[in-house]
Amino acid sequence: RKEVEQDPGPFNVPEGATVAFNCTYSNSASQSFFWYRQDCRKEPKLLMSVYSSGNEDGRFTAQLNRASQYISLLIRDSKLSDSATYLCVVIKETNAGKSTFGDGTTLTVKP
Amino acid sequence: DTEVTQTPKHLVMGMTNKKSLKCEQHMGHRAMYWYKQKAKKPPELMFVYSYEKLSINESVPSRFSPECPNSSLLNLHLHALQPEDSALYLCASSAIRDRLKEGYTFGSGTRLTVV
């Protein structure tokens, strides 16, 4: 079993749709959780940190369920510019973090 | 503009060459990282430096040799690479401990081709 597993996708949705991505992790010692976005041939960019209380940034909502070892990302009112690969990242913290990336879920938003 | 700068952006090298990738950050971060990313795959952690000391080596072959001259700079020295080492090499930096929750900042990467 992979340490971090994501929905394989791809997701193809129309503009304005709501889409949800899920990610599970196997190491209960994991401490920090993130969603990154990566455009084709670009570097990953931080979309959101994920907290147990849940957090929202505009059209994006992230949730963490430590008991089920599960994180999610909800995108409302999808835009064409949301088309990208979304990477779930889990860190087991030492002094500096040892990160594990999920395989990524590709989202294509169509007109 | 990224706050983590990597040079060169592209590199083509022969299997007998020696080259170096460079990374610089001015974010005051005390942790720096090297990742390797193959096409359609996620980044894979190679090395972690914390306070300029190597803290994690993910069993990377010795033909890759990292160096952290100071808190702002990170190098990756390459020697006798194989064609399968062709990939995007990403540098990242982060704060440490409690501030690790702020996440990593990545450079734009060096696209390496080994011929």
Side-chain angles (χ1 to χ4, degrees), chain A residues 31-32 34 36 38 41-44 46 49 51 87 89 91 93-99 101-103, chain B residues 2 31 33 35 37 42-43 45 48 50-51 56 58 90 96-97 100-104 106-108 111:
Chain A
Q31 297 290 323
S32 296
F34 305 94
Y36 274 77
Q38 188 170 26
R41 300 183 70 81
K42 300 282 192 179
E43 74 274 21
L46 180 64
S49 300
Y51 304 115
L87 296 157
V89 185
I91 298 178
E93 285 173 30
T94 52
N95 192 16
K98 179 174 176 175
S99 60
F101 282 67
D103 284 347
Chain B
T2 184
Y33 309 81
Y35 288 84
Q37 187 174 24
L45 184 64
V48 179
S50 175
Y51 290 105
I56 296 175
E58 290 286 83
L90 292 160
I96 60 167
R97 300 198 185 102
L100 191 53
K101 292 176 170 52
E102 297 169 8
Y104 301 142
F106 283 87
S108 56
R111 197 161 296 278

Side-chain angles (χ1 to χ4, degrees), chain A residues 71-111:
Chain A
I71 70 173
S72 65
L73 176 68
L74 183 75
I75 304 175
R76 291 181 298 277
D77 188 22
S78 300
K79 310 291 185 192
L80 296 177
S81 57
D82 294 334
S83 298
T85 296
Y86 291 82
L87 296 157
C88 165
V89 185
V90 173
I91 298 178
K92 188 178 82 169
E93 285 173 30
T94 52
N95 192 16
K98 179 174 176 175
S99 60
T100 303
F101 282 67
D103 284 347
T105 302
T106 299
L107 171 66
T108 302
V109 181
K110 298 187 174 180

Side-chain angles (χ1 to χ4, degrees), chain B residues 6-30:
Chain B
Q6 288 187 244
T7 55
K9 292 195 182 307
H10 300 275
L11 178 62
V12 179
M13 61 185 289
M15 289 188 283
T16 58
N17 291 160
K18 286 185 181 181
K19 295 286 185 184
S20 297
L21 309 185
K22 298 187 182 300
C23 176
E24 186 169 8
Q25 59 95 7
H26 294 288
M27 303 180 70
H29 289 161
R30 300 311 299 270

Side-chain angles (χ1 to χ4, degrees), chain A residues 15-74:
Chain A
E15 272 187 291
T18 295
V19 61
F21 303 140
N22 300 314
C23 175
T24 58
Y25 60 95
S26 61
N27 191 333
S28 60
S30 300
Q31 297 290 323
S32 296
F33 309 87
F34 305 94
W35 285 102
Y36 274 77
R37 168 196 171 126
Q38 188 170 26
D39 294 285
C40 186
R41 300 183 70 81
K42 300 282 192 179
E43 74 274 21
K45 293 195 174 176
L46 180 64
L47 182 64
M48 300 178 76
S49 300
V50 189
Y51 304 115
S52 296
S53 55
N55 46 305
E56 187 173 314
D57 182 4
R59 298 181 293 108
F60 299 84
T61 301
Q63 294 277 353
L64 166 63
N65 184 321
R66 284 190 184 272
S68 301
Q69 295 182 196
Y70 166 98
I71 70 173
S72 65
L73 176 68
L74 183 75

Side-chain angles (χ1 to χ4, degrees), chain B residues 4-94:
Chain B
V4 176
T5 304
Q6 288 187 244
T7 55
K9 292 195 182 307
H10 300 275
L11 178 62
V12 179
M13 61 185 289
M15 289 188 283
T16 58
N17 291 160
K18 286 185 181 181
K19 295 286 185 184
S20 297
L21 309 185
K22 298 187 182 300
C23 176
E24 186 169 8
Q25 59 95 7
H26 294 288
M27 303 180 70
H29 289 161
R30 300 311 299 270
M32 295 187 77
Y33 309 81
W34 280 115
Y35 288 84
K36 173 182 177 179
Q37 187 174 24
K38 302 281 274 185
K40 300 190 185 301
K41 296 290 187 182
E44 291 179 30
L45 184 64
M46 300 174 72
F47 302 104
V48 179
Y49 273 82
S50 175
Y51 290 105
E52 297 92 70
K53 290 190 179 349
L54 182 66
S55 60
I56 296 175
N57 176 341
E58 290 286 83
S59 303
V60 179
S62 60
R63 58 186 184 269
F64 295 91
S65 175
E67 178 196 19
C68 190
N70 60 52
S71 60
S72 300
L73 292 174
L74 186 66
N75 299 321
L76 186 63
H77 302 299
L78 313 174
H79 174 54
L81 295 194
Q82 302 297 310
E84 59 264 29
D85 296 321
S86 298
L88 179 67
Y89 287 85
L90 292 160
C91 172
S93 70
S94 75

